Amino acid sequence: MGMVSEFKDFIAKGNAMDLAVGVIIGGAFGAIVTSLVSDVITPALLNPALKAAHVEDLAGLKTEGGILYGKFLAAVISFLVIAFVIFLMVKGINGMKKKEEAAPAAPAGPTQEQLLAEIRDLLKK
């Protein structure tokens, strides 16, 4: 029973639950970013540029040994576009967050002379 209770404690800890939520949200966010890149950005920006440069057949390029370097190059380009889109989204989200107001400075306490004067006055009474 000791191992079962340890397992329950492990699962119930905040770190494990936060990690699980992060993975699930990350997967859903990944689908959003993939759709944004493939359905919005690529058709709007990249397709005209790729057609003009005549590299639309990039994925079909291969060597005599069967290495598909065109697919690799397409994956690298896709990664760079996705990474840039994520960068822009994070930058936008961070910009929307309100800047935390600086905490007001703590009021300055009495000086040593003021404390000694108070002690002197109390001793006189």
Side-chain angles (χ1 to χ4, degrees):
M1 289 303 274
M3 184 179 278
V4 172
S5 64
E6 286 182 37
F7 183 69
K8 283 183 187 179
D9 291 342
F10 171 75
I11 294 297
K13 282 186 181 177
N15 293 342
M17 296 305 278
D18 291 343
L19 179 62
V21 169
V23 168
I24 293 168
I25 295 296
F29 186 72
I32 292 171
V33 170
T34 301
S35 175
L36 176 66
V37 169
S38 64
D39 299 334
V40 177
I41 293 175
T42 299
L45 301 176
L46 294 181
N47 281 347
L50 291 176
K51 287 179 183 175
H54 299 291
V55 287
E56 60 269 5
D57 294 328
L58 183 66
L61 298 176
K62 62 182 177 180
T63 63
E64 291 181 18
I67 297 173
L68 300 174
Y69 67 90
K71 281 190 174 185
F72 174 73
L73 291 175
V76 169
I77 292 169
S78 177
F79 169 77
L80 292 175
V81 170
I82 289 172
F84 185 70
V85 168
I86 290 174
F87 168 75
L88 291 177
M89 291 177 79
V90 168
K91 186 173 174 107
I93 289 170
N94 287 340
M96 288 189 308
K97 290 182 182 177
K98 292 182 181 178
K99 293 182 180 179
E100 294 181 20
E101 295 181 18
T111 63
Q112 186 175 6
E113 289 80 19
Q114 291 171 337
L115 290 174
L116 289 174
E118 286 180 28
I119 293 171
R120 181 194 65 211
D121 293 342
L122 288 172
L123 288 174
K124 284 183 181 178
K125 290 182 183 180

